[in-house]
Amino acid sequence: MAYRVLVWGLGAMGSGIARNIHSKLELKLVGGVEKKPEAVGKDIGEFLGIGNIGAKIYDDPEKAILETRPDLVVIATNSFVREVMEKIELAAINHVDVLTIAEEMAYPFYSHPEESTIIDNIARRYSISILGTGINPGFVLDLLIIAMTGACLNVERIEAKRINDLSPFGKTVMETQGVGTTPEEFEEGLKNGTIVGHIGFQQSIAMIADALGWELTKIEEIREPIISKTERKTAVAHVKPGMVAGCKHIGRGYINDKVVIELIHPQQILPQLEGVETGDYIDIYGDPEIHLSIKPEIPGGKGTIAVATNMIPYVIEAEPGFLTMADLPVPRTLLKDLGR
């Protein structure tokens, strides 16, 4: 019997996750939650362009949960812990497991210790499992690094870089990266908090450090605008020469005055227009040294959709609690239903 899944949020990532869920033998897409008036009441299959599947889109999440009786709800609406806590609690009181792609939820124990305790208590009180995941944070710059250290006798320092294309992502990601702003607007956005760059460096660095037993003394972050020399367009962004095409974000984890983890993430739309090659690079310095290069990068959109979908059975089968990718089995792809 397939696990029943409700998808809350049908933007770029939520829609992709919903389509992928529908294609899998082990999963059944039972509905969606979306606030856009043009989507409400429609068959979710028709909304996704995959044909009528007999499951509809709701604007009331509690009604959706009560009527569709999901085993798990995927929350694909926001990036920040405080924005998804109320949604998580709504699912929890109805005894439904939760998987969210909110970046801060991947490992918020360092950045949001109080909220993390509350979320874990909610999970245990209502006997559900909760996971935050995605391609990054959730896989490339944390789980993959942790797995690679398993082949080391000793690790002294970790450096990793992800150079990726933001083009598949929706409006929210573009705004948080400052795509389409002027350099002056970018700096102002950093000051007022509307531009945050990559969301997840604190989470990834803390996940790696905790997995290795490193007690960090501080985590610092640096954000710089990537100024475009060419015109670039996506479905949701338009960048002219001299405007910001993305954000170069650096995160560093220290033990005393020594940098032991450095993560570099310059992400922008259509980097190939200026000759930038994408890729994922991991360098582990220790015994032995390990150097991994993936070119081009694991696609952010497809990767997030895949990781989120593939972790669903693990979350449902897990013991109650607020889980991380380091707590669960290594993700593997789910079999496709050839009839869909």
Side-chain angles (χ1 to χ4, degrees), residues 145-168:
I145 292 172
I146 293 167
M148 288 173 60
T149 68
C152 295
L153 300 172
N154 182 54
V155 175
E156 298 174 359
R157 179 169 53 92
I158 294 166
E159 295 179 8
K161 179 184 289 187
R162 176 166 168 80
I163 305 171
N164 74 317
D165 184 359
L166 279 176
S167 302

Side-chain angles (χ1 to χ4, degrees), residues 107 179 212:
Y107 204 89
V179 176
L212 299 186

